[in-house]
Amino acid sequence: MPSETDLNFEDGTGAFYRDLAPFDDFEGFTDLSHYRRLPADWLIALADIEGSTRAIAQGRYKDVNMMGAACITAVLNALKQFHPVPEIPYVFGGDGAALAVPGFCAEAVRRALTCTKTLCESRFGLTMRIGIVPVADIQARNRDVLAAKFRLSPGNHLALFAGGGMELADSLIKDDVAGAAYRLDSAASGDAPDLEGLTCRWAPMGARNGTILSVLVMSTATDPASRSATFETVVACMNDALKQNFSDLSPATDGGLRFRWPPAGVLTEARATCGQGQPAFLKRLAGILGQSAVQWFLHRSGGRAGAYHAPAYKAELIANTDFQRFDDMLRLVLDCSLDQARALEDCLETMRREGGIVFGIHAADTALMTCLVFSLENSEHVHFLDGGNGGFAEAARHLKAQLATVPNVPTAGSANR
């Protein structure tokens, strides 16, 4: 019998996402022809920070973001034990994450998530809710998880999800009764997750046009085709209100990105990625300070050190940010003028009153970035964006308040995943 780590999935469902054809225009997220049904033997892994509102009030939203991204990092690193390494779709939600994984990876994913939960609670004092829901259970409840693959740049992709299955999985995890079958506890041991590649060294990006908007839009329709049609209308309405495509309003621009020393997130990164004990923390902190000092110099001088070529990396970073994403809900982080922000909210409010959507918007002065670097040599890295001062978590509170007034919506969805 082959070992767990030697499973060859070339002819099985493990290659599902790797073989999925990507598309290049984000507004194509409304086109269901880009999506494929997730195999029934796959699993949905979910994580979110409970009580994120309290953490936001304490000025700890960077810690919340870091732990949301840590779940993705831990799972991706855990999957490196398999040969070949399965490519999986995932989405960052600000205070949490969602991933789809092949069933044969279940134990590795469970260990990665439970260890991350333990780290989150022991080192950051934040409560993390984690769980795994089989896709087969979602399909048995007449929902689907449809996945698509949006190309950010060569070798770097962003996963999109439709079909309502992600919303249902999130609702199951959060349900006091039904969730008991799916939720996971903290790790029994003190093993730390592998968070190699997780960094947060860029300064918060200030609003260059006026304000940073975190925008959430959810369709209240129940079937994928109706949802798709609704989001086509949403896209047209938003672009008309903005008087340009929202895809052109990323906060990550050459002028907006600043690398300062010491990095603002240095303590958060060191605490998340060090070993056990104070000596390990101090050693890791010193290492980050040394590395980031070199990075700062390279960005100031436009130089190169090994595989790190500062101008090239910065250009790739701008292309590889997830300021626009979709997982049964449209999630955007936009740098808008104040007039654009007002027009955008007016357009969405008009659509809400007409029926068919609910939305949440939160304005801030900055956007936050958390980075996941796979390979500098191969230019493989992605960068998670959220608005400052609560970003998506605050936008989700507004969306949920609207949703509570809408009758017959079967699930609330993962507004602040």
Side-chain angles (χ1 to χ4, degrees):
M1 293 288 291
S3 70
E4 184 185 51
T5 56
D6 289 328
L7 288 170
N8 189 319
F9 59 75
E10 292 299 316
D11 297 322
T13 62
F16 165 80
Y17 190 65
R18 184 200 66 187
D19 294 343
L20 191 60
F23 65 101
D24 297 299
D25 180 359
F26 179 80
E27 291 186 10
F29 81 87
T30 64
D31 184 352
L32 290 178
S33 70
H34 292 309
Y35 294 82
R36 295 292 180 269
R37 179 177 289 107
L38 216 64
D41 60 351
W42 277 48
L43 309 167
I44 303 301
L46 297 156
D48 72 288
I49 302 298
E50 299 184 72
S52 56
T53 301
R54 182 170 61 255
I56 293 166
Q58 296 169 348
R60 301 186 60 203
Y61 200 49
K62 185 61 180 177
D63 291 349
V64 171
N65 270 193
M66 190 71 166
M67 286 297 96
C71 297
I72 296 172
T73 311
V75 170
L76 293 177
N77 284 335
L79 298 184
K80 291 178 182 177
Q81 67 185 273
F82 296 96
H83 306 287
V85 178
E87 186 178 346
I88 65 166
Y90 56 84
V91 64
F92 172 68
D95 64 351
L99 310 94
V101 298
F104 65 78
C105 302
E107 182 57 27
V109 173
R110 185 195 65 79
R111 287 195 300 267
L113 289 178
T114 56
C115 288
T116 305
K117 175 178 169 69
T118 299
L119 181 147
C120 179
E121 295 173 351
S122 63
R123 296 189 189 176
F124 290 87
L126 297 170
T127 302
M128 178 177 284
R129 173 172 40 213
I130 56 174
I132 297 177
V133 181
V135 169
D137 286 16
I138 295 171
Q139 293 174 345
R141 294 172 182 255
N142 298 316
R143 292 293 185 92
D144 253 326
V145 182
L146 309 176
K149 197 174 186 180
F150 171 59
R151 182 169 20 228
L152 295 167
S153 65
N156 296 288
H157 300 96
L158 188 66
L160 311 178
F161 294 103
M166 281 296 189
E167 289 179 352
L168 176 58
D170 184 79
S171 296
L172 289 172
I173 291 293
K174 293 177 178 177
D175 188 279
D176 290 340
V177 177
Y182 305 112
R183 284 192 298 269
L184 302 175
D185 294 324
S186 302
S189 69
D191 293 341
D194 180 357
L195 298 181
E196 181 182 359
L198 180 64
T199 73
C200 56
R201 300 177 188 177
W202 289 88
M205 291 163 283
R208 294 172 61 80
N209 296 323
T211 187
I212 301 292
L213 291 187
S214 299
V215 183
L216 299 174
V217 185
M218 174 184 170
S219 169
T220 55
T222 57
D223 66 283
S226 295
R227 287 181 174 215
S228 177
T230 296
F231 279 113
E232 286 183 359
T233 304
V234 167
V235 167
C237 176
M238 291 177 62
N239 288 342
D240 184 62
L242 294 167
K243 295 183 170 54
Q244 65 183 114
N245 289 354
F246 60 74
S247 295
D248 298 327
L249 292 173
S250 171
T253 62
D254 185 64
L257 286 167
R258 293 286 183 270
F259 199 101
R260 299 191 177 103
W261 195 91
V266 63
L267 294 178
T268 299
E269 181 181 340
R271 200 184 319 161
T273 58
C274 71
Q276 297 289 342
Q278 187 71 2
F281 170 77
L282 293 175
K283 180 179 179 180
R284 178 62 179 147
L285 178 61
I288 294 172
L289 287 172
Q291 292 171 0
S292 59
V294 173
Q295 289 176 276
W296 174 83
F297 174 77
L298 294 176
H299 281 283
R300 293 273 295 191
S301 63
R304 177 197 293 270
Y308 195 92
H309 182 211
Y313 180 78
K314 190 176 184 181
E316 292 166 0
L317 182 155
I318 291 169
N320 292 347
T321 57
D322 72 339
F323 74 97
Q324 48 187 1
R325 65 199 85 152
F326 183 75
D327 61 333
D328 285 327
M329 182 179 299
L330 181 61
R331 303 172 189 264
L332 304 171
V333 185
L334 305 177
D335 187 349
C336 301
S337 71
L338 296 179
D339 286 342
Q340 286 177 312
R342 283 190 289 268
L344 178 62
E345 185 164 10
D346 287 346
C347 123
L348 293 176
E349 176 61 18
T350 297
M351 289 194 66
R352 183 192 71 82
R353 289 177 177 173
E354 292 173 351
I357 70 163
V358 290
F359 70 95
I361 291 181
H362 177 68
D365 295 329
T366 60
L368 306 179
M369 178 181 289
T370 304
C371 305
L372 183 49
V373 180
F374 305 109
S375 170
L376 288 174
E377 293 85 353
N378 298 322
S379 300
E380 294 176 354
H381 47 96
V382 294
H383 306 270
F384 305 130
L385 286 189
D386 198 353
N389 301 326
F392 283 131
E394 287 297 293
R397 289 202 305 117
H398 302 149
L399 182 147
K400 288 176 180 177
Q402 292 182 6
L403 194 61
T405 68
V406 180
N408 303 320
V409 178
T411 64
S414 51
N416 60 337
R417 181 165 55 240

